[in-house]
Amino acid sequence: MKKHTNSLQAYYTTTCKHLSITSDKLISAQEYQRMIKEKHVKDIVDNFDVHRFGEPVVNFRDGHYYLIDGQHRVSALIFMNGGEPVEVKCTVFYEMTYAEEAQYFAK
């Protein structure tokens, strides 16, 4: 079996943390993302299951938290909180470039 040394090394050296971040500190609507669809947000709210709710993925770069994947889930949490900002449990990467964010989102 072939070893994937570079991929394995990247797996062990990539810095990420699990943090709670207030939703109003998350920046979304990047060009690589889809537009938020209210129907999708409503479906998440109507079928909410805490055990199946994956953590949104965020990148911290240039002093800001950029939401890479999970803008519909974050929108659903805000909706469930009466439209007010809410604490969001996120998986946070550090210092990915914009291009790397777009590539992550596309996969």
Side-chain angles (χ1 to χ4, degrees), residues 1-12:
M1 180 188 291
K2 179 184 173 188
K3 286 188 177 185
H4 295 269
T5 308
N6 290 343
S7 296
L8 194 56
Q9 184 178 21
Y11 172 76
Y12 288 116

Side-chain angles (χ1 to χ4, degrees), residues 25 27 59-66 94-95:
K25 292 188 176 10
I27 299 170
N59 181 43
F60 184 79
R61 83 177 140 78
D62 302 327
H64 301 284
Y65 291 101
Y66 291 92
Y94 291 85
E95 302 303 328

Side-chain angles (χ1 to χ4, degrees), residues 52-103:
R52 300 188 73 208
F53 191 82
E55 288 185 355
V57 177
V58 173
N59 181 43
F60 184 79
R61 83 177 140 78
D62 302 327
H64 301 284
Y65 291 101
Y66 291 92
L67 185 58
I68 300 171
D69 184 31
Q71 66 181 0
H72 285 92
R73 285 171 278 161
V74 171
S75 295
L77 291 174
I78 294 167
F79 181 87
M80 293 185 324
N81 198 43
E84 298 293 322
V86 63
E87 289 291 317
V88 181
K89 294 179 185 177
C90 299
T91 299
V92 182
F93 290 96
Y94 291 85
E95 302 303 328
M96 291 170 69
T97 65
Y98 180 89
E100 289 170 327
E101 291 173 8
Q103 183 179 24

